[in-house]
Amino acid sequence: MGCFVSTPEDSGGKRRRPGNIGEVSVFVPGLRIPKPVDFSESLGDHLCKSLVERLSALRTRIVVMAGQEAPSITRTRRRNATQHGGSTLGDLLQALEDYLPVLLGLVKDGSPLQHKVQYTWINQEDESEEVGMYSAWYEVLSVLHLMAALSLSQANLLLLPRTSTDGYLPKVSEESRRSAIDVLLKAAGYLDCAVKHILPQLSPEHRRDLPVDLAEGVLRALCLQALGQGVDIQLGLAIDSTKATLAVKRRLACEMVKYWQQAQDNITNLPLANGWGEKHRFYVKWKYIEAKAAAYYYHGLILDEGNTEKSHGMAVSALQAADEYLKESKRACEAFNTAVPISRTPPLWGTMKYLSEKIPKDTSSKVRINRDLYTYEKIMETAPTLPDFALALKPDEYQLPDVDPSWNDENVNKGQNGNNKD
């Protein structure tokens, strides 16, 4: 069967979007919300009553929690990051993890039951308000996407600076940064599984009808964003470490550029629109530019260690490029924050706090000639090529859980025999 698409015009416009999402360290598009499903009508003649009721109860729990809590999750505030926001995320993630093993029974061994129920979800980045499909694999894909989005939200909460006990400027503790890396890798694992193992299960027709929220390019981009931000945190930790060499910092910065470049490449030609989608595009562009500022800065410092006039000239070019990218990143950040829903950048910390101070200072000290002679175009033309490093950070290897034991032959046969024994 095909899919059913409901647009904002014919559905009464139920897609809810906040006007302001507060502080953003890790961007997550608005959460896709599932709409209610009547399993008994579609599966009552095929499964025992208890199994139908369990499916219904598990999914209804998600529908209710996601519908009620999504706005509070999306609008992050530091004051509730470790209280209501954190517990809400954990509870909803647990509800999804409880649902998945039971849901997978519908696709076990290519069961025809996978096409019996229409699953409808409210989109955020697609033009269509909602998309429904008679496909349990679409439901699995939507669940994994939501699990990844919740994990990215957890990482955002962990990376919002908090006022320190010693009274200094707000900062993010090393423990929170390391925890955020773990959560980001987990999110990347969900998305990597979705791309490699779930999308191939969908028919060509269903893949064509997927909302842009679940397009392969968006899933890959979100995965790469998670990895790119993980490397960004690693770079910040390296900056704080007295043992990390310039070579290590340059490698991390150059890897970060590749992650963000690949993320941008994956969404370049996709019809991301309607607020969240446009904001997503702005975010990737901002982080890509920011990463280039870091990479050119550390590349310039290493080139400056050379003793030749040529290496010094290349170092100056690299540092000038870093300075220009830093200025450009501030403009890109402003474009992101002013795009609806509007947002704020938390107080600078970590990598960008350090670089926003060091890049202008070191660039001006190295450039001893009139900088007015250098246009933006001239600087970018003469900037040396960044070294190419293999990407080291990989997603966690996430595997779908085993089918729940409630899916035994007896329970399935009971339903097919007319539910006489329930």
Side-chain angles (χ1 to χ4, degrees):
M1 293 188 182
C3 78
F4 165 79
V5 177
S6 173
T7 63
E9 288 76 14
D10 60 28
S11 68
K14 297 177 183 177
R15 177 159 48 190
R16 293 180 295 170
R17 288 185 176 139
N20 189 326
I21 57 174
E23 294 181 339
V24 174
S25 282
V26 178
F27 175 65
V28 189
L31 304 183
R32 295 180 76 241
I33 308 298
K35 297 189 74 173
V37 164
D38 187 350
F39 283 109
S40 60
E41 182 179 338
S42 305
L43 300 175
D45 293 336
H46 304 279
L47 301 174
C48 70
K49 183 179 178 182
S50 62
L51 189 49
V52 172
E53 289 178 344
R54 188 162 182 224
L55 271 169
S56 298
L58 289 168
R59 195 178 192 278
T60 299
R61 180 183 171 207
I62 294 167
V63 171
V64 172
M65 289 182 67
Q68 290 180 346
E69 305 295 351
S72 67
I73 292 172
T74 304
R75 294 192 295 271
T76 53
R77 294 181 176 86
R78 276 179 284 158
R79 66 172 177 270
N80 69 4
T82 59
Q83 299 171 10
H84 178 69
S87 63
T88 297
L89 289 168
D91 291 346
L92 187 46
L93 261 172
Q94 187 60 55
L96 291 163
E97 290 173 359
D98 293 343
Y99 174 51
L100 202 49
V102 185
L103 170 64
L104 288 170
L106 290 171
V107 299
K108 182 181 178 182
D109 300 326
S111 170
L113 296 179
Q114 65 183 284
H115 303 299
K116 295 289 185 182
V117 181
Q118 186 185 54
Y119 306 91
T120 303
W121 288 67
I122 298 172
N123 303 313
Q124 294 294 347
E125 296 190 287
D126 198 87
E127 288 186 358
S128 300
E129 165 130 344
E130 59 190 44
V131 170
M133 291 188 184
Y134 283 91
S135 169
W137 281 117
Y138 168 65
E139 177 82 343
V140 173
L141 181 63
S142 297
V143 167
L144 284 184
H145 178 270
L146 184 51
M147 289 169 68
L150 292 170
S151 297
L152 292 173
S153 296
Q154 283 184 324
N156 186 53
L157 292 174
L158 286 166
L159 296 176
L160 293 181
R162 291 170 178 75
T163 303
S164 57
T165 54
D166 54 15
Y168 287 101
L169 292 174
K171 61 183 180 181
V172 179
S173 69
E174 181 174 334
E175 180 184 3
S176 290
R177 285 188 272 175
R178 293 191 183 280
S179 296
I181 293 176
D182 293 339
V183 174
L184 288 166
L185 295 183
K186 184 182 293 185
Y190 295 143
L191 294 159
D192 191 54
C193 175
V195 170
K196 292 179 179 177
H197 304 295
I198 310 304
L199 282 178
Q201 299 291 341
L202 292 164
S203 68
E205 178 188 2
H206 282 144
R207 287 193 69 161
R208 282 194 303 270
D209 291 334
L210 285 173
V212 72
D213 306 55
L214 300 180
E216 181 175 347
V218 170
L219 299 176
R220 288 186 181 277
L222 286 171
C223 179
L224 289 160
Q225 286 171 232
L227 297 174
Q229 295 201 273
V231 176
D232 190 352
I233 299 169
Q234 289 180 333
L235 176 57
L237 292 170
I239 290 171
D240 291 345
S241 170
T242 56
K243 297 180 180 179
T245 63
L246 275 180
V248 167
K249 296 170 189 174
R250 180 179 68 173
R251 181 186 180 105
L252 289 170
C254 288
E255 286 184 36
M256 192 162 58
V257 170
K258 287 180 71 173
Y259 283 120
W260 287 107
Q261 180 179 10
Q262 290 178 21
Q264 183 164 275
D265 290 345
N266 271 283
I267 61 173
T268 295
N269 297 318
L270 292 175
L272 289 167
N274 294 315
W276 280 118
E278 183 182 31
K279 198 168 181 71
H280 188 179
R281 196 186 299 280
F282 279 136
Y283 185 76
V284 173
K285 179 182 179 181
W286 164 34
K287 289 298 179 179
Y288 178 35
I289 296 169
E290 201 172 73
K292 286 195 281 190
Y296 274 105
Y297 173 69
Y298 284 111
H299 190 39
L301 293 185
I302 287 181
L303 288 171
D304 196 49
E305 291 180 340
N307 294 321
T308 67
E309 185 177 340
K310 180 181 178 182
S311 65
H312 176 70
M314 291 174 67
V316 169
S317 296
L319 290 171
Q320 285 181 306
D323 197 38
E324 290 298 329
Y325 280 125
L326 181 64
K327 294 173 186 173
E328 189 179 347
S329 75
K330 292 176 181 177
R331 295 190 292 270
C333 173
E334 183 64 21
F336 165 73
N337 281 326
T338 55
V340 179
I342 61 174
S343 55
R344 299 188 309 278
T345 305
L348 281 180
W349 63 276
T351 303
M352 288 316 298
K353 185 177 190 304
Y354 177 82
L355 294 180
S356 65
E357 297 168 356
K358 293 291 289 182
I359 289 176
K361 180 181 177 182
D362 287 356
T363 301
S364 62
S365 69
K366 300 294 181 187
V367 179
R368 315 225 185 270
I369 55 178
N370 189 348
R371 297 196 63 190
D372 293 339
L373 297 177
Y374 285 81
T375 63
Y376 174 84
E377 291 75 16
K378 183 67 175 177
I379 290 171
M380 293 308 165
E381 280 177 15
T382 58
T385 303
L386 291 172
D388 186 19
F389 296 105
L391 297 176
L393 204 59
K394 305 295 182 185
D396 279 356
E397 188 174 341
Y398 175 76
Q399 294 183 339
L400 290 173
D402 293 333
V403 174
D404 191 84
S406 60
W407 280 91
N408 56 50
D409 292 338
E410 183 184 359
N411 281 342
V412 176
N413 291 335
K414 278 182 182 179
Q416 292 172 341
N417 291 331
N419 282 332
N420 295 328
K421 299 180 182 179
D422 263 321

